Amino acid sequence: MHRTRIIDHVILLIGAFIMVTPVVVAFMTSTHDAADIHRNGLSLTWGGHFAETYETVLTREGGFTGKVTGFNMMMNSMILGLGFAVGKIVLSMLAAYAIVYFRFPLATFFFWVIFTTLLLPLEVRILPSYEVMNALKLTNTYTGLIVPLLASATGTFYFRQFFKSVPDELLEAARIDGAGPFKFFIDVLVPLSRTMMAAIFIIMFVYGWNQYLWPTLMTTDEGFFTLVRGIKQILLVWVGSNIPDYNEAFALAILAMLPPVMIVVIFQRWFIKGLTESDK
Amino acid sequence: MRGTSGREGQQAPAKRVQFSSPFLPYLFLAPQLAIILVFFYWPSVQAVQSSFYLEDPFGFGSTFVGLTNYTDVLKSTEYLGIARFTAVFTALVTFFALATGLLLAVKADGVIRGNAADKTLLIWVYAIAPPVAGLIGMMFFNQHIGPMVELARWFGWDIKVGLDYSDTAFAMIVVSVWKQIPYNFIFFLSGLQGIPVSVREAATLDCRSELRRFWTVTLPLLAPTAFFLLIINTTYALFDTFGVIDVMVKDKAANNPITLVYKVYMDGFRGSDLGGSSAQSVILMLVVLVLTVFQFRFIERRVHYN
């Protein structure tokens, strides 16, 4: 019995090591200067160039137009992450409210219209989606970046499940008190949904921030690049340079993962709740 | 994310009391419906439609060619090669991501029951975007500075990611698995912690061997979770690994392994073969549809037997 316990711990330690080390190495290496990395390889120790490298990465104007900074890309990532998460919550709460709390003739039909979107991920219809965006002149806009990603029913289903679990007595009581649909939604349902909203916000923010394929298609103007979208550009720039700026590449990678990782770590409980409970 | 909430397909049993209003429900549904119509139904219909047409390369309209795009795609040895690689890649990524996630969850369940802080180390990688994981992977497999290259050399393996087909495939699989482990870990762990204590105790009394107990009691109880994860991991390997692959092949797809989604992207955006790319999209749609139907059939069964 005692022996298996030790083995369990060892396996967990190895697991944690494998999950954590690459990122720690990426961070530590980013604090060395490029020539040092080129000579000595990746590093597990502090290099002392943290401030310079991160300042360069965040403020130096680069790219083809010479006007894009890391800070700029970070802001775009933030807009995409926040815009997507907020949009998702607003749209899906409203739609779920209509489906669960209203009696209307086309309810079943609309339920299926929305439900069908779960069948086909964006990746299988990228080219036609791009054509549509082109036709609507939405390429290189924040609208084009965010809104098409909202065209899926995930959030609606989370909230539908949740609303269904809200006791009927609340609505009965509210109606006796004379509350209409708007009042009930704002004064009863929204406050009740707070935890649920937080959980979904976290998941959706991470999802939005981490988008890659869609921003790659939608944005050719570097002013709209997100950090995650800019990653490949970083790698492409190396081709042909003598001493690649490994440190800067690592620094950008760290910046690109920092906000979502922080959110998941800090709000771990809500994050796990949102991820697992919503699909029971 | 996709599909995670789609496990229940039945129409909602109406609330006992509901509002009735001639226009309010439509008002609340309008924003979501508008976005879905414009950005989901329109492109989807367009994809199916343009898969039957041949686009004139100079932009002078298009001609109806029936199933030619499909037969061209399915006869192409290149496409079939990529399909074969995608199948192998998906199978390997799914298997190793699930197996590692399960192993860690089982061990964590025994050791850190209920302690949230210890789980953090194992789950935070969930928040890293696939292309960022790909970038870190590229560094670890870099010819000059990569520790993985040195490690492989130790075993007499001269690993050349980006140059050698199977070496690149290996690196892609490693990175894709690494990125997906936390997701599986979270679900397996919550599945394990959902097993009632009484069942665990009964199992311990009945069966001394820990390994046998795992196979005969724990695993069957985890089957619904495992099946759900199987579908999610398959779609992850098929679609979400795009970022990993795109970063790792760095636009030099010629001698490197790519998946079907990447091929759709390349033909559509690099090659401007609209019809062929659309036909490939539709083929992928069918794959996803089959997976989803499979998922719902299973969930129906589960609902009946529970």
Side-chain angles (χ1 to χ4, degrees):
Chain A
M1 197 63 195
H2 191 65
R3 205 166 48 108
T4 51
R5 278 273 178 247
I6 291 173
I7 292 173
D8 287 358
H9 274 112
V10 169
I11 290 176
L12 276 180
L13 273 177
I14 294 174
F17 177 81
I18 291 172
M19 296 322 282
V20 174
T21 316
V23 181
V24 174
V25 168
F27 177 66
M28 287 306 186
T29 308
S30 74
T31 65
H32 288 256
D33 66 40
D36 184 18
I37 301 169
H38 193 61
R39 259 196 322 273
N40 304 321
L42 302 187
S43 177
L44 257 172
T45 54
W46 185 250
H49 292 272
F50 173 79
E52 296 109 280
T53 307
Y54 281 80
E55 205 199 317
T56 316
V57 164
L58 277 173
T59 59
R60 188 191 51 202
E61 298 185 332
F64 295 115
T65 50
K67 285 202 180 96
V68 177
T69 64
F71 182 74
N72 218 321
M73 294 202 284
M74 199 160 200
M75 280 297 116
N76 287 334
S77 290
M78 204 54 103
I79 291 169
L80 175 55
L82 290 178
F84 176 72
V86 171
K88 196 88 190 176
I89 289 176
V90 171
L91 286 181
S92 48
M93 276 186 88
L94 288 177
Y97 184 51
I99 289 173
V100 175
Y101 278 97
F102 284 87
R103 197 189 309 275
F104 60 107
L106 291 172
T108 313
F109 171 73
F110 283 130
F111 174 80
W112 282 104
V113 167
I114 295 174
F115 171 73
T116 310
T117 60
L118 290 174
L119 301 182
L120 297 177
L122 183 64
E123 285 87 345
V124 302
R125 52 192 160 86
I126 38 172
L127 189 63
S129 295
Y130 176 79
E131 303 270 307
V132 167
M133 301 312 285
N134 240 347
L136 296 174
K137 303 217 180 332
L138 284 174
T139 50
N140 288 320
T141 62
Y142 289 118
T143 315
L145 204 53
I146 298 168
V147 178
L149 291 172
L150 296 171
S152 110
T154 41
T156 313
F157 279 81
Y158 291 141
F159 281 110
R160 173 176 159 271
Q161 294 291 86
F162 177 72
F163 289 164
K164 275 166 63 184
S165 73
V166 172
D168 287 1
E169 288 74 16
L170 282 174
L171 179 57
E172 285 163 12
R175 293 189 76 171
I176 291 168
D177 290 344
F182 286 100
K183 200 165 166 50
F184 176 73
F185 183 69
I186 291 165
D187 289 348
V188 181
L189 270 190
V190 171
L192 270 180
S193 314
R194 270 204 195 117
T195 321
M196 192 67 188
M197 284 161 80
I200 289 177
F201 182 87
I202 291 165
I203 290 174
M204 294 303 170
F205 176 80
V206 172
Y207 183 80
W209 179 284
N210 285 348
Q211 281 303 305
Y212 178 67
L213 178 56
W214 187 246
T216 302
L217 302 181
M218 284 312 296
T219 58
T220 44
D221 175 353
E222 289 173 327
F224 288 97
F225 276 19
T226 62
L227 274 175
V228 174
R229 194 248 183 266
I231 287 285
K232 200 171 78 174
Q233 254 59 28
I234 305 168
L235 280 166
L236 288 177
V237 168
W238 288 355
V239 184
S241 60
N242 278 334
I243 298 179
D245 294 322
Y246 296 114
N247 54 340
E248 290 175 13
F250 273 130
L252 270 174
I254 293 292
L255 290 176
M257 70 173 79
L258 195 64
V261 166
M262 293 295 283
I263 283 194
V264 165
V265 168
I266 294 171
F267 301 108
Q268 185 177 321
R269 212 165 42 87
W270 284 346
F271 159 70
I272 293 181
K273 181 186 159 68
L275 205 60
T276 56
E277 260 174 42
S278 43
D279 33 43
K280 278 178 185 153
Chain B
M1 194 90 19
R2 160 181 55 248
T4 49
S5 56
R7 299 171 82 193
E8 193 193 341
Q10 310 85 349
Q11 167 60 6
K15 286 245 170 208
R16 229 173 338 127
V17 236
Q18 283 176 313
F19 291 113
S20 54
S21 156
F23 67 94
L24 269 185
Y26 301 102
L27 181 74
F28 289 142
L29 279 171
Q32 169 120 59
L33 284 176
I35 288 177
I36 283 177
L37 281 183
V38 177
F39 300 111
F40 181 85
Y41 285 100
W42 182 7
S44 300
V45 169
Q46 191 119 46
V48 176
Q49 199 189 12
S50 52
S51 71
F52 295 111
Y53 284 83
L54 189 67
E55 190 95 346
D56 185 280
F58 302 103
F60 297 119
S62 45
T63 34
F64 182 78
V65 290
L67 288 172
T68 316
N69 286 325
Y70 289 93
T71 47
D72 281 357
V73 163
L74 291 173
K75 269 192 277 178
S76 140
T77 44
E78 189 206 0
Y79 186 80
L80 294 178
I82 293 172
R84 208 173 304 125
F85 173 74
T86 308
V88 173
F89 175 80
T90 304
L92 289 174
V93 169
T94 303
F95 174 78
F96 284 108
L98 281 176
T100 321
L102 179 60
L103 174 73
L104 290 173
V106 169
K107 297 305 168 196
D109 183 46
V111 173
I112 53 169
R113 239 170 120 56
N115 187 349
D118 293 340
K119 281 187 282 186
T120 311
L121 289 181
L122 289 163
I123 68 169
W124 68 324
V125 167
Y126 170 88
I128 297 175
V132 179
L135 174 82
I136 295 178
M138 275 312 277
M139 300 293 197
F140 273 71
F141 285 103
N142 184 294
Q143 282 307 310
H144 303 288
I145 59 168
M148 294 299 269
V149 176
E150 270 172 55
L151 189 71
R153 211 171 278 144
W154 236 59
F155 293 100
W157 178 12
D158 189 17
I159 193 166
K160 286 196 180 71
V161 172
L163 296 172
D164 184 276
Y165 183 91
S166 52
D167 288 355
T168 313
F170 172 77
M172 278 178 189
I173 291 170
V174 169
V175 175
S176 303
V177 169
W178 180 72
K179 160 86 190 95
Q180 187 63 2
I181 289 172
Y183 191 89
N184 297 336
F185 172 77
I186 293 167
F187 275 87
F188 276 131
L189 188 62
S190 92
L192 282 168
Q193 302 196 326
I195 298 176
V197 181
S198 55
V199 175
R200 288 165 184 270
E201 279 168 359
T204 323
L205 288 178
D206 280 351
C207 179
R208 297 282 299 162
S209 153
E210 204 173 330
L211 196 65
R212 258 214 28 207
R213 204 159 65 224
F214 175 75
W215 284 110
T216 55
V217 181
T218 315
L219 204 58
L221 284 173
L222 276 182
T225 310
F227 187 83
F228 162 73
L229 285 176
L230 181 68
I231 303 282
I232 295 290
N233 278 262
T234 309
T235 44
Y236 163 79
L238 283 173
F239 302 115
D240 297 341
T241 51
F242 178 89
V244 175
I245 294 166
D246 193 34
V247 165
M248 294 191 101
V249 304
K250 277 192 282 184
D251 285 350
K252 288 176 293 188
N255 304 312
N256 282 317
I258 57 170
T259 58
L260 289 173
V261 170
Y262 201 82
K263 172 88 174 137
V264 172
Y265 164 77
M266 274 205 334
D267 287 1
F269 289 92
R270 298 286 154 72
S272 340
D273 174 11
L274 193 63
S277 174
S278 296
Q280 293 179 34
S281 284
V282 175
I283 293 172
L284 275 178
M285 285 182 189
L286 292 176
V287 172
V288 182
L289 276 178
V290 169
L291 277 174
T292 317
V293 169
F294 201 53
Q295 184 180 4
F296 285 128
R297 287 294 294 275
F298 174 81
I299 281 145
E300 245 167 64
R301 273 211 346 245
R302 196 184 132 212
V303 170
H304 284 299
Y305 293 130
N306 278 4

